[in-house]
PDB file of all heavy atoms in Angstrom:
ATOM      1  N   VAL H1041    -167.686 -36.634 133.556  1.00  0.00           N
ATOM      2  CA  VAL H1041    -167.054 -37.586 132.649  1.00  0.00           C
ATOM      3  C   VAL H1041    -167.771 -37.568 131.301  1.00  0.00           C
ATOM      4  O   VAL H1041    -168.998 -37.627 131.240  1.00  0.00           O
ATOM      5  CB  VAL H1041    -167.079 -39.013 133.240  1.00  0.00           C
ATOM      6  CG1 VAL H1041    -166.501 -40.017 132.248  1.00  0.00           C
ATOM      7  CG2 VAL H1041    -166.326 -39.059 134.559  1.00  0.00           C
ATOM      8  N   HIS H1042    -166.993 -37.463 130.252  1.00  0.00           N
ATOM      9  CA  HIS H1042    -167.520 -37.512 128.884  1.00  0.00           C
ATOM     10  C   HIS H1042    -166.931 -38.761 128.231  1.00  0.00           C
ATOM     11  O   HIS H1042    -165.822 -38.713 127.676  1.00  0.00           O
ATOM     12  CB  HIS H1042    -167.151 -36.242 128.118  1.00  0.00           C
ATOM     13  CG  HIS H1042    -167.632 -35.007 128.802  1.00  0.00           C
ATOM     14  ND1 HIS H1042    -168.943 -34.605 128.769  1.00  0.00           N
ATOM     15  CD2 HIS H1042    -166.978 -34.115 129.589  1.00  0.00           C
ATOM     16  CE1 HIS H1042    -169.082 -33.506 129.480  1.00  0.00           C
ATOM     17  NE2 HIS H1042    -167.902 -33.185 129.994  1.00  0.00           N
ATOM     18  N   PRO H1043    -167.641 -39.888 128.296  1.00  0.00           N
ATOM     19  CA  PRO H1043    -167.084 -41.174 127.859  1.00  0.00           C
ATOM     20  C   PRO H1043    -166.545 -41.192 126.433  1.00  0.00           C
ATOM     21  O   PRO H1043    -165.617 -41.929 126.130  1.00  0.00           O
ATOM     22  CB  PRO H1043    -168.263 -42.138 127.986  1.00  0.00           C
ATOM     23  CG  PRO H1043    -169.182 -41.497 128.967  1.00  0.00           C
ATOM     24  CD  PRO H1043    -169.006 -40.015 128.788  1.00  0.00           C
ATOM     25  N   GLU H1044    -167.081 -40.368 125.553  1.00  0.00           N
ATOM     26  CA  GLU H1044    -166.669 -40.388 124.147  1.00  0.00           C
ATOM     27  C   GLU H1044    -165.390 -39.599 123.874  1.00  0.00           C
ATOM     28  O   GLU H1044    -164.877 -39.610 122.761  1.00  0.00           O
ATOM     29  CB  GLU H1044    -167.795 -39.863 123.261  1.00  0.00           C
ATOM     30  CG  GLU H1044    -168.077 -38.379 123.408  1.00  0.00           C
ATOM     31  CD  GLU H1044    -168.777 -37.935 124.696  1.00  0.00           C
ATOM     32  OE1 GLU H1044    -169.286 -38.792 125.452  1.00  0.00           O
ATOM     33  OE2 GLU H1044    -168.794 -36.720 124.944  1.00  0.00           O
ATOM     34  N   MET H1045    -164.828 -38.955 124.900  1.00  0.00           N
ATOM     35  CA  MET H1045    -163.611 -38.160 124.721  1.00  0.00           C
ATOM     36  C   MET H1045    -162.375 -39.067 124.780  1.00  0.00           C
ATOM     37  O   MET H1045    -162.214 -39.835 125.718  1.00  0.00           O
ATOM     38  CB  MET H1045    -163.503 -37.097 125.817  1.00  0.00           C
ATOM     39  CG  MET H1045    -164.601 -36.054 125.771  1.00  0.00           C
ATOM     40  SD  MET H1045    -164.584 -35.053 124.287  1.00  0.00           S
ATOM     41  CE  MET H1045    -163.078 -34.176 124.506  1.00  0.00           C
ATOM     42  N   PRO H1046    -161.502 -38.978 123.786  1.00  0.00           N
ATOM     43  CA  PRO H1046    -160.274 -39.794 123.812  1.00  0.00           C
ATOM     44  C   PRO H1046    -159.339 -39.350 124.928  1.00  0.00           C
ATOM     45  O   PRO H1046    -159.285 -38.172 125.280  1.00  0.00           O
ATOM     46  CB  PRO H1046    -159.649 -39.553 122.445  1.00  0.00           C
ATOM     47  CG  PRO H1046    -160.417 -38.480 121.791  1.00  0.00           C
ATOM     48  CD  PRO H1046    -161.622 -38.162 122.598  1.00  0.00           C
ATOM     49  N   GLU H1047    -158.640 -40.316 125.500  1.00  0.00           N
ATOM     50  CA  GLU H1047    -157.673 -40.029 126.560  1.00  0.00           C
ATOM     51  C   GLU H1047    -156.449 -40.922 126.413  1.00  0.00           C
ATOM     52  O   GLU H1047    -156.524 -42.023 125.867  1.00  0.00           O
ATOM     53  CB  GLU H1047    -158.278 -40.269 127.949  1.00  0.00           C
ATOM     54  CG  GLU H1047    -159.296 -39.264 128.355  1.00  0.00           C
ATOM     55  CD  GLU H1047    -159.821 -39.460 129.763  1.00  0.00           C
ATOM     56  OE1 GLU H1047    -159.584 -40.523 130.380  1.00  0.00           O
ATOM     57  OE2 GLU H1047    -160.486 -38.545 130.246  1.00  0.00           O
ATOM     58  N   ALA H1048    -155.349 -40.426 126.932  1.00  0.00           N
ATOM     59  CA  ALA H1048    -154.133 -41.215 127.066  1.00  0.00           C
ATOM     60  C   ALA H1048    -153.914 -41.442 128.557  1.00  0.00           C
ATOM     61  O   ALA H1048    -154.250 -40.587 129.381  1.00  0.00           O
ATOM     62  CB  ALA H1048    -152.947 -40.488 126.445  1.00  0.00           C
ATOM     63  N   VAL H1049    -153.371 -42.602 128.898  1.00  0.00           N
ATOM     64  CA  VAL H1049    -153.272 -43.009 130.294  1.00  0.00           C
ATOM     65  C   VAL H1049    -151.888 -43.576 130.586  1.00  0.00           C
ATOM     66  O   VAL H1049    -151.327 -44.323 129.780  1.00  0.00           O
ATOM     67  CB  VAL H1049    -154.329 -44.092 130.612  1.00  0.00           C
ATOM     68  CG1 VAL H1049    -154.287 -44.499 132.065  1.00  0.00           C
ATOM     69  CG2 VAL H1049    -155.713 -43.629 130.234  1.00  0.00           C
ATOM     70  N   LEU H1050    -151.379 -43.204 131.753  1.00  0.00           N
ATOM     71  CA  LEU H1050    -150.156 -43.786 132.288  1.00  0.00           C
ATOM     72  C   LEU H1050    -150.571 -44.675 133.454  1.00  0.00           C
ATOM     73  O   LEU H1050    -151.290 -44.236 134.352  1.00  0.00           O
ATOM     74  CB  LEU H1050    -149.206 -42.691 132.778  1.00  0.00           C
ATOM     75  CG  LEU H1050    -147.988 -43.138 133.573  1.00  0.00           C
ATOM     76  CD1 LEU H1050    -147.011 -43.886 132.678  1.00  0.00           C
ATOM     77  CD2 LEU H1050    -147.306 -41.951 134.224  1.00  0.00           C
ATOM     78  N   LEU H1051    -150.139 -45.911 133.407  1.00  0.00           N
ATOM     79  CA  LEU H1051    -150.376 -46.854 134.503  1.00  0.00           C
ATOM     80  C   LEU H1051    -149.016 -47.200 135.086  1.00  0.00           C
ATOM     81  O   LEU H1051    -148.121 -47.637 134.353  1.00  0.00           O
ATOM     82  CB  LEU H1051    -151.049 -48.131 133.995  1.00  0.00           C
ATOM     83  CG  LEU H1051    -152.386 -47.897 133.323  1.00  0.00           C
ATOM     84  CD1 LEU H1051    -152.573 -48.841 132.162  1.00  0.00           C
ATOM     85  CD2 LEU H1051    -153.486 -48.047 134.323  1.00  0.00           C
ATOM     86  N   VAL H1052    -148.868 -46.987 136.384  1.00  0.00           N
ATOM     87  CA  VAL H1052    -147.577 -47.266 137.009  1.00  0.00           C
ATOM     88  C   VAL H1052    -147.812 -47.776 138.424  1.00  0.00           C
ATOM     89  O   VAL H1052    -148.708 -47.307 139.124  1.00  0.00           O
ATOM     90  CB  VAL H1052    -146.652 -46.028 136.986  1.00  0.00           C
ATOM     91  CG1 VAL H1052    -147.209 -44.890 137.792  1.00  0.00           C
ATOM     92  CG2 VAL H1052    -145.242 -46.376 137.420  1.00  0.00           C
ATOM     93  N   ARG H1053    -147.008 -48.757 138.804  1.00  0.00           N
ATOM     94  CA  ARG H1053    -147.105 -49.299 140.158  1.00  0.00           C
ATOM     95  C   ARG H1053    -146.216 -48.477 141.067  1.00  0.00           C
ATOM     96  O   ARG H1053    -145.029 -48.307 140.798  1.00  0.00           O
ATOM     97  CB  ARG H1053    -146.687 -50.767 140.167  1.00  0.00           C
ATOM     98  CG  ARG H1053    -146.972 -51.425 141.515  1.00  0.00           C
ATOM     99  CD  ARG H1053    -146.495 -52.845 141.557  1.00  0.00           C
ATOM    100  NE  ARG H1053    -145.039 -52.800 141.664  1.00  0.00           N
ATOM    101  CZ  ARG H1053    -144.219 -53.624 141.051  1.00  0.00           C
ATOM    102  NH1 ARG H1053    -144.670 -54.541 140.252  1.00  0.00           N
ATOM    103  NH2 ARG H1053    -142.906 -53.519 141.215  1.00  0.00           N
ATOM    104  N   VAL H1054    -146.795 -47.969 142.124  1.00  0.00           N
ATOM    105  CA  VAL H1054    -146.049 -47.236 143.150  1.00  0.00           C
ATOM    106  C   VAL H1054    -146.182 -48.057 144.419  1.00  0.00           C
ATOM    107  O   VAL H1054    -147.262 -48.127 145.001  1.00  0.00           O
ATOM    108  CB  VAL H1054    -146.607 -45.810 143.350  1.00  0.00           C
ATOM    109  CG1 VAL H1054    -145.840 -45.090 144.440  1.00  0.00           C
ATOM    110  CG2 VAL H1054    -146.572 -45.033 142.040  1.00  0.00           C
ATOM    111  N   GLY H1055    -145.109 -48.722 144.799  1.00  0.00           N
ATOM    112  CA  GLY H1055    -145.182 -49.652 145.925  1.00  0.00           C
ATOM    113  C   GLY H1055    -146.079 -50.810 145.531  1.00  0.00           C
ATOM    114  O   GLY H1055    -145.857 -51.463 144.518  1.00  0.00           O
ATOM    115  N   LEU H1056    -147.130 -51.013 146.294  1.00  0.00           N
ATOM    116  CA  LEU H1056    -148.078 -52.094 145.993  1.00  0.00           C
ATOM    117  C   LEU H1056    -149.352 -51.581 145.327  1.00  0.00           C
ATOM    118  O   LEU H1056    -150.259 -52.351 145.065  1.00  0.00           O
ATOM    119  CB  LEU H1056    -148.430 -52.855 147.275  1.00  0.00           C
ATOM    120  CG  LEU H1056    -147.259 -53.566 147.947  1.00  0.00           C
ATOM    121  CD1 LEU H1056    -147.702 -54.207 149.258  1.00  0.00           C
ATOM    122  CD2 LEU H1056    -146.641 -54.595 147.025  1.00  0.00           C
ATOM    123  N   GLU H1057    -149.398 -50.292 145.063  1.00  0.00           N
ATOM    124  CA  GLU H1057    -150.577 -49.684 144.451  1.00  0.00           C
ATOM    125  C   GLU H1057    -150.322 -49.357 142.983  1.00  0.00           C
ATOM    126  O   GLU H1057    -149.213 -48.996 142.608  1.00  0.00           O
ATOM    127  CB  GLU H1057    -150.954 -48.391 145.186  1.00  0.00           C
ATOM    128  CG  GLU H1057    -151.284 -48.578 146.650  1.00  0.00           C
ATOM    129  CD  GLU H1057    -152.545 -49.376 146.869  1.00  0.00           C
ATOM    130  OE1 GLU H1057    -153.511 -49.182 146.096  1.00  0.00           O
ATOM    131  OE2 GLU H1057    -152.569 -50.199 147.808  1.00  0.00           O
ATOM    132  N   VAL H1058    -151.350 -49.460 142.175  1.00  0.00           N
ATOM    133  CA  VAL H1058    -151.270 -49.068 140.772  1.00  0.00           C
ATOM    134  C   VAL H1058    -151.960 -47.723 140.615  1.00  0.00           C
ATOM    135  O   VAL H1058    -153.095 -47.547 141.062  1.00  0.00           O
ATOM    136  CB  VAL H1058    -151.937 -50.117 139.854  1.00  0.00           C
ATOM    137  CG1 VAL H1058    -151.943 -49.632 138.412  1.00  0.00           C
ATOM    138  CG2 VAL H1058    -151.205 -51.456 139.968  1.00  0.00           C
ATOM    139  N   GLU H1059    -151.255 -46.780 140.024  1.00  0.00           N
ATOM    140  CA  GLU H1059    -151.821 -45.462 139.752  1.00  0.00           C
ATOM    141  C   GLU H1059    -152.279 -45.412 138.305  1.00  0.00           C
ATOM    142  O   GLU H1059    -151.585 -45.875 137.401  1.00  0.00           O
ATOM    143  CB  GLU H1059    -150.800 -44.356 140.006  1.00  0.00           C
ATOM    144  CG  GLU H1059    -150.501 -44.146 141.467  1.00  0.00           C
ATOM    145  CD  GLU H1059    -149.701 -42.889 141.713  1.00  0.00           C
ATOM    146  OE1 GLU H1059    -149.778 -41.938 140.896  1.00  0.00           O
ATOM    147  OE2 GLU H1059    -149.001 -42.857 142.725  1.00  0.00           O
ATOM    148  N   VAL H1060    -153.460 -44.865 138.101  1.00  0.00           N
ATOM    149  CA  VAL H1060    -154.034 -44.659 136.773  1.00  0.00           C
ATOM    150  C   VAL H1060    -154.097 -43.148 136.583  1.00  0.00           C
ATOM    151  O   VAL H1060    -154.877 -42.474 137.248  1.00  0.00           O
ATOM    152  CB  VAL H1060    -155.445 -45.284 136.664  1.00  0.00           C
ATOM    153  CG1 VAL H1060    -156.042 -45.030 135.297  1.00  0.00           C
ATOM    154  CG2 VAL H1060    -155.393 -46.778 136.987  1.00  0.00           C
ATOM    155  N   LEU H1061    -153.246 -42.625 135.689  1.00  0.00           N
ATOM    156  CA  LEU H1061    -153.120 -41.182 135.535  1.00  0.00           C
ATOM    157  C   LEU H1061    -153.412 -40.769 134.095  1.00  0.00           C
ATOM    158  O   LEU H1061    -152.815 -41.320 133.156  1.00  0.00           O
ATOM    159  CB  LEU H1061    -151.703 -40.741 135.907  1.00  0.00           C
ATOM    160  CG  LEU H1061    -151.231 -41.162 137.301  1.00  0.00           C
ATOM    161  CD1 LEU H1061    -149.736 -40.982 137.428  1.00  0.00           C
ATOM    162  CD2 LEU H1061    -151.970 -40.376 138.362  1.00  0.00           C
ATOM    163  N   ARG H1062    -154.301 -39.817 133.938  1.00  0.00           N
ATOM    164  CA  ARG H1062    -154.570 -39.285 132.606  1.00  0.00           C
ATOM    165  C   ARG H1062    -153.409 -38.378 132.207  1.00  0.00           C
ATOM    166  O   ARG H1062    -152.953 -37.560 133.002  1.00  0.00           O
ATOM    167  CB  ARG H1062    -155.877 -38.502 132.600  1.00  0.00           C
ATOM    168  CG  ARG H1062    -156.281 -38.050 131.218  1.00  0.00           C
ATOM    169  CD  ARG H1062    -157.638 -37.439 131.226  1.00  0.00           C
ATOM    170  NE  ARG H1062    -157.634 -36.290 132.131  1.00  0.00           N
ATOM    171  CZ  ARG H1062    -158.512 -35.318 132.076  1.00  0.00           C
ATOM    172  NH1 ARG H1062    -159.470 -35.352 131.194  1.00  0.00           N
ATOM    173  NH2 ARG H1062    -158.457 -34.321 132.916  1.00  0.00           N
ATOM    174  N   ILE H1063    -152.919 -38.562 130.989  1.00  0.00           N
ATOM    175  CA  ILE H1063    -151.814 -37.743 130.480  1.00  0.00           C
ATOM    176  C   ILE H1063    -152.213 -37.190 129.121  1.00  0.00           C
ATOM    177  O   ILE H1063    -153.125 -37.703 128.476  1.00  0.00           O
ATOM    178  CB  ILE H1063    -150.500 -38.555 130.374  1.00  0.00           C
ATOM    179  CG1 ILE H1063    -150.671 -39.775 129.464  1.00  0.00           C
ATOM    180  CG2 ILE H1063    -150.000 -38.956 131.756  1.00  0.00           C
ATOM    181  CD1 ILE H1063    -149.382 -40.542 129.205  1.00  0.00           C
ATOM    182  N   GLY H1064    -151.530 -36.151 128.696  1.00  0.00           N
ATOM    183  CA  GLY H1064    -151.790 -35.567 127.385  1.00  0.00           C
ATOM    184  C   GLY H1064    -151.196 -36.424 126.276  1.00  0.00           C
ATOM    185  O   GLY H1064    -150.373 -37.315 126.503  1.00  0.00           O
ATOM    186  N   LEU H1065    -151.599 -36.112 125.049  1.00  0.00           N
ATOM    187  CA  LEU H1065    -151.099 -36.875 123.908  1.00  0.00           C
ATOM    188  C   LEU H1065    -149.605 -36.659 123.690  1.00  0.00           C
ATOM    189  O   LEU H1065    -148.893 -37.574 123.262  1.00  0.00           O
ATOM    190  CB  LEU H1065    -151.885 -36.520 122.648  1.00  0.00           C
ATOM    191  CG  LEU H1065    -153.374 -36.896 122.696  1.00  0.00           C
ATOM    192  CD1 LEU H1065    -154.056 -36.492 121.401  1.00  0.00           C
ATOM    193  CD2 LEU H1065    -153.561 -38.368 122.984  1.00  0.00           C
ATOM    194  N   GLY H1066    -149.105 -35.466 124.004  1.00  0.00           N
ATOM    195  CA  GLY H1066    -147.671 -35.218 123.917  1.00  0.00           C
ATOM    196  C   GLY H1066    -146.911 -36.068 124.926  1.00  0.00           C
ATOM    197  O   GLY H1066    -145.883 -36.663 124.597  1.00  0.00           O
ATOM    198  N   ALA H1067    -147.415 -36.129 126.149  1.00  0.00           N
ATOM    199  CA  ALA H1067    -146.778 -36.958 127.181  1.00  0.00           C
ATOM    200  C   ALA H1067    -146.803 -38.425 126.767  1.00  0.00           C
ATOM    201  O   ALA H1067    -145.831 -39.156 126.981  1.00  0.00           O
ATOM    202  CB  ALA H1067    -147.481 -36.765 128.516  1.00  0.00           C
ATOM    203  N   HIS H1068    -147.906 -38.858 126.162  1.00  0.00           N
ATOM    204  CA  HIS H1068    -148.001 -40.239 125.687  1.00  0.00           C
ATOM    205  C   HIS H1068    -146.915 -40.524 124.652  1.00  0.00           C
ATOM    206  O   HIS H1068    -146.206 -41.537 124.720  1.00  0.00           O
ATOM    207  CB  HIS H1068    -149.388 -40.503 125.103  1.00  0.00           C
ATOM    208  CG  HIS H1068    -149.557 -41.892 124.588  1.00  0.00           C
ATOM    209  ND1 HIS H1068    -149.211 -42.249 123.306  1.00  0.00           N
ATOM    210  CD2 HIS H1068    -150.016 -43.005 125.186  1.00  0.00           C
ATOM    211  CE1 HIS H1068    -149.458 -43.526 123.132  1.00  0.00           C
ATOM    212  NE2 HIS H1068    -149.948 -44.018 124.262  1.00  0.00           N
ATOM    213  N   ALA H1069    -146.739 -39.623 123.694  1.00  0.00           N
ATOM    214  CA  ALA H1069    -145.709 -39.803 122.667  1.00  0.00           C
ATOM    215  C   ALA H1069    -144.307 -39.802 123.285  1.00  0.00           C
ATOM    216  O   ALA H1069    -143.453 -40.603 122.917  1.00  0.00           O
ATOM    217  CB  ALA H1069    -145.822 -38.706 121.610  1.00  0.00           C
ATOM    218  N   PHE H1070    -144.084 -38.905 124.240  1.00  0.00           N
ATOM    219  CA  PHE H1070    -142.791 -38.794 124.916  1.00  0.00           C
ATOM    220  C   PHE H1070    -142.456 -40.078 125.668  1.00  0.00           C
ATOM    221  O   PHE H1070    -141.382 -40.657 125.492  1.00  0.00           O
ATOM    222  CB  PHE H1070    -142.840 -37.597 125.870  1.00  0.00           C
ATOM    223  CG  PHE H1070    -141.575 -37.337 126.628  1.00  0.00           C
ATOM    224  CD1 PHE H1070    -140.435 -36.881 125.978  1.00  0.00           C
ATOM    225  CD2 PHE H1070    -141.530 -37.499 127.998  1.00  0.00           C
ATOM    226  CE1 PHE H1070    -139.259 -36.607 126.682  1.00  0.00           C
ATOM    227  CE2 PHE H1070    -140.369 -37.227 128.716  1.00  0.00           C
ATOM    228  CZ  PHE H1070    -139.237 -36.783 128.054  1.00  0.00           C
ATOM    229  N   ILE H1071    -143.374 -40.529 126.504  1.00  0.00           N
ATOM    230  CA  ILE H1071    -143.135 -41.726 127.309  1.00  0.00           C
ATOM    231  C   ILE H1071    -143.037 -42.967 126.424  1.00  0.00           C
ATOM    232  O   ILE H1071    -142.226 -43.855 126.682  1.00  0.00           O
ATOM    233  CB  ILE H1071    -144.215 -41.862 128.401  1.00  0.00           C
ATOM    234  CG1 ILE H1071    -144.117 -40.678 129.371  1.00  0.00           C
ATOM    235  CG2 ILE H1071    -144.074 -43.188 129.151  1.00  0.00           C
ATOM    236  CD1 ILE H1071    -145.282 -40.537 130.332  1.00  0.00           C
TER     237      ILE H1071
END
């Protein structure tokens, strides 16, 4: 893990669980 690296994240509930998924900047703009 490199804490200083920027990331984009998708958070979505699947059933009763929340998924935390790293996504690219293009995916972030798209979503």
Side-chain angles (χ1 to χ4, degrees):
V1041 176
H1042 303 283
E1044 69 287 348
M1045 295 296 293
E1047 288 184 347
V1049 182
L1050 170 69
L1051 301 144
V1052 64
R1053 188 183 74 219
V1054 179
L1056 297 176
E1057 300 293 321
V1058 175
E1059 289 191 26
V1060 178
L1061 305 166
R1062 186 173 60 159
I1063 58 174
L1065 296 180
H1068 179 273
F1070 181 69
I1071 296 169

